[in-house]
Amino acid sequence: MVLSSVLVLTIIGLVSAVLLYFLLQKFKVEEDPRIDQVQEVLPGANCGGCGSAGCRNFAERCVKADSLEGLNCPVGGAETMKKVGGILGLAAAESTPMVAVVKCQTVCNERPVTSKYDGALNCHISQTLFTGESTCPYSCLGYGDCVNACKFGALSISPKTGSIVVDPDKCTGCGSCVKACPKHIMELRKKWPKNRQIYVKCTNEDKGGIARKDCATACIGCSKCVKECQFEAITVTNNLAHIDTMKCRLCRKCVAVCPTGAIVAENFPKINN
């Protein structure tokens, strides 16, 4: 009795295996082998900085594309895209390395602290409950959603000021921190040699007097920087100045004329007077 039961189950198993094999062959989807080859040269970060769901999805997009124009892996950079182009027989498009910056000075003595938040230490959650611990509704909340989103350890919170700090040597320009920030304080900018940067470290769009009352280093939209820039790299929209990272030539003249110190120059050598 037991032997016959085992025999029946064995036959059923064999028949099922044969049926599954033929069904698999019938509905098998042929995949371009180059997808595996392209995925192999990608960094495997699955950060989404390329605009794809992951490295596999990006590899599929590259293989299906007639041109690599508009396709870029920010983590792997130009070298990785050259390898991808070599596999596919396509020319790799030129791309500009980018790095994240924090557009808020977030120093307590520059903006008055008016309230204390006692809840979940999460920027998205806290934003739904209040505007922040200071009177500036545009300021960084400082709970580290951007830090948690970074897969490369490039962001941290300063224990002294509570400010978000970006390590430009570790930042890959994937944009995960930009997507994670509910206040839109994080921005990707051109990565200059020696990690030098000039940008408006503020997102306050209130009129000058109100902005200055909220924070001593807020941009007041005075347009002095616009008049000073000979490269037409600066515009003022909604009371807030913005420096076009592709037009800027790092001359630092705008830094000198900014009356509030909202425009910052980072990683430049000190000028001895």
Side-chain angles (χ1 to χ4, degrees):
M1 185 69 177
V2 174
L3 185 61
S4 61
S5 298
V6 171
L7 185 60
V8 170
L9 289 173
T10 302
I11 294 172
I12 292 173
L14 288 171
V15 172
S16 299
V18 172
L19 287 172
L20 285 172
Y21 173 78
F22 282 107
L23 286 171
L24 180 63
Q25 295 303 310
K26 181 177 178 61
F27 296 104
K28 181 172 65 175
V29 177
E30 295 291 341
E31 190 174 59
D32 194 320
R34 295 178 300 170
I35 296 175
D36 289 329
Q37 296 174 27
V38 171
Q39 186 179 11
E40 188 67 26
V41 301
L42 296 176
N46 293 312
C47 61
C50 58
S52 304
C55 290
R56 181 71 179 183
N57 182 236
F58 181 66
E60 292 172 352
R61 287 176 59 199
C62 290
V63 170
K64 292 177 181 177
D66 297 324
S67 166
L68 294 180
E69 187 71 34
L71 293 171
N72 178 50
C73 172
V75 179
E79 287 302 314
T80 293
M81 292 310 297
K82 285 180 182 178
K83 292 177 183 178
V84 172
I87 294 170
L88 302 178
L90 300 172
E94 292 292 328
S95 60
T96 302
M98 306 295 280
V99 66
V101 298
V102 187
K103 300 186 67 177
C104 180
Q105 310 234 22
T106 330
V107 182
C108 292
N109 61 357
E110 301 292 355
R111 54 187 180 92
V113 176
T114 57
S115 60
K116 185 68 177 176
Y117 175 67
D118 184 17
L121 300 181
N122 178 284
C123 297
H124 279 84
I125 294 175
S126 63
Q127 188 195 19
T128 63
L129 302 175
F130 81 144
T131 58
E133 294 185 346
S134 73
T135 56
C136 180
Y138 301 90
S139 66
C140 174
L141 292 165
Y143 301 126
D145 285 21
C146 54
V147 177
N148 297 329
C150 181
K151 298 182 179 181
F152 306 97
L155 275 70
S156 61
I157 300 177
S158 169
K160 290 184 178 180
T161 64
S163 303
I164 302 298
V165 180
V166 178
D167 184 338
D169 292 323
K170 292 182 179 180
C171 179
T172 62
C174 71
S176 294
C177 57
V178 177
K179 297 174 185 176
C181 180
K183 290 288 189 91
H184 308 294
I185 288 168
M186 304 300 298
E187 181 185 30
L188 290 181
R189 298 184 65 80
K190 178 180 177 180
K191 189 170 185 176
W192 289 91
K194 299 182 180 179
N195 294 322
R196 291 174 179 172
Q197 282 290 342
I198 293 177
Y199 61 101
V200 182
K201 203 173 178 69
C202 179
T203 58
N204 196 323
E205 295 183 350
D206 289 334
K207 290 184 178 181
I210 300 173
R212 190 65 185 270
K213 184 178 180 181
D214 288 338
C215 177
T217 58
C219 174
I220 56 175
C222 65
S223 296
K224 288 185 178 180
C225 53
V226 177
K227 297 172 184 176
E228 189 69 24
C229 182
Q230 58 182 309
F231 305 107
E232 299 182 347
I234 309 178
T235 55
V236 174
T237 306
N238 295 330
N239 309 305
L240 179 66
H242 177 76
I243 301 175
D244 188 326
T245 188
M246 298 303 176
K247 292 182 179 180
C248 178
R249 294 296 178 268
L250 304 183
C251 70
R252 289 189 284 176
K253 290 182 179 180
C254 57
V255 179
V257 299
C258 180
T260 64
I263 303 178
V264 297
E266 296 179 348
N267 301 315
F268 283 85
K270 292 183 178 180
I271 300 175
N272 295 321
N273 296 326

